[in-house]
Structures are given as structure tokens and as C-alpha cells.
């Protein structure tokens, strides 16, 4: 085999290795995007699901991770607040 043939084989192997590495990076990014976020973080995908369906699936937020009593207290506090009437700007 000549030097140019060895160079061609090495270049082909390098290209295939880079292709496999890029595939692994894409796969890891997709898995990370689909996995539940760390505590306290909300992803765009989760916000879009809330807008579309009104709730998050248990896949994103397991029931045992929520403090339902605290949620109920905060919701009750929110709805018990009085709201000021808006000022009429166009009179």
C-alpha cells in the first residue's frame, strides 16, 4: 500500500469517528431536553404544555414532588386578594 492509500484510510476513519461523536452529542442533548429538569427550573417545552393543556403531565412533575397544601394556600391567597379597578384612559 502506498502512503496516499494509508492517508485515505486514515482520513476516512477520522471522518467516521467524527460522525459517530456528533451522533452521540445529538443523542445526549435530546435525552437531556426530554428528561425532567432540576428542581426549580421550568423548560420552554413545559410552558408550552401548560398553555396547550392547562397542566403538566406526571412525567415532568411527579405528584409526590408537590406540596399540595402549600399550593392550595397560595391559590386561596391569590384569589382572596382585592383587585383595583383599572383607570379609564379613554374617557
Amino acid at each position: 500500500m502506498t502512503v496516499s492509500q494509508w492517508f485515505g484510510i486514515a482520513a476516512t476513519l477520522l471522518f467516521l469517528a467524527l460522525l459517530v461523536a456528533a451522533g452521540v452529542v445529538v443523542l445526549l442533548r435530546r435525552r437531556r431536553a426530554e428528561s425532567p429538569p432540576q428542581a426549580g427550573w421550568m423548560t420552554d417545552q413545559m410552558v408550552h404544555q401548560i398553555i396547550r393543556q392547562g397542566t403538566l403531565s406526571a412525567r415532568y412533575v411527579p405528584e409526590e414532588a408537590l406540596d399540595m397544601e402549600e399550593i392550595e394556600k397560595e391559590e386561596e391567597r391569590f384569589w382572596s386578594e382585592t383587585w383595583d379597578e383599572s383607570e379609564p384612559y379613554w374617557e
Side-chain angles (χ1 to χ4, degrees):
M1 292 181 85
T2 65
V3 173
S4 63
Q5 288 174 333
W6 281 108
F7 181 72
I9 291 171
T12 302
L13 289 176
L14 179 63
F15 174 74
L16 290 176
L18 290 174
L19 191 62
V20 168
V24 169
V25 168
V26 168
L27 179 66
L28 291 175
R29 283 187 180 179
R30 284 185 183 173
R31 276 192 185 168
R32 190 174 301 141
E34 292 174 359
S35 66
Q38 299 298 322
W41 293 95
M42 188 168 243
T43 63
D44 290 340
Q45 185 179 9
M46 294 167 74
V47 172
H48 291 302
Q49 182 178 352
I50 291 171
I51 292 170
R52 277 193 320 272
Q53 300 174 356
T55 61
L56 280 176
S57 65
R59 175 177 149 212
Y60 291 118
V61 183
E63 188 69 29
E64 61 272 2
L66 300 176
D67 183 0
M68 297 307 288
E69 291 178 11
E70 182 67 28
I71 292 171
E72 288 174 10
K73 287 178 189 175
E74 193 61 30
E75 185 177 1
E76 189 173 320
R77 185 197 61 78
F78 175 81
W79 290 112
S80 66
E81 288 182 6
T82 58
W83 300 90
D84 295 334
E85 293 294 322
S86 59
E87 295 180 16
Y89 292 107
W90 304 102
E91 287 186 16

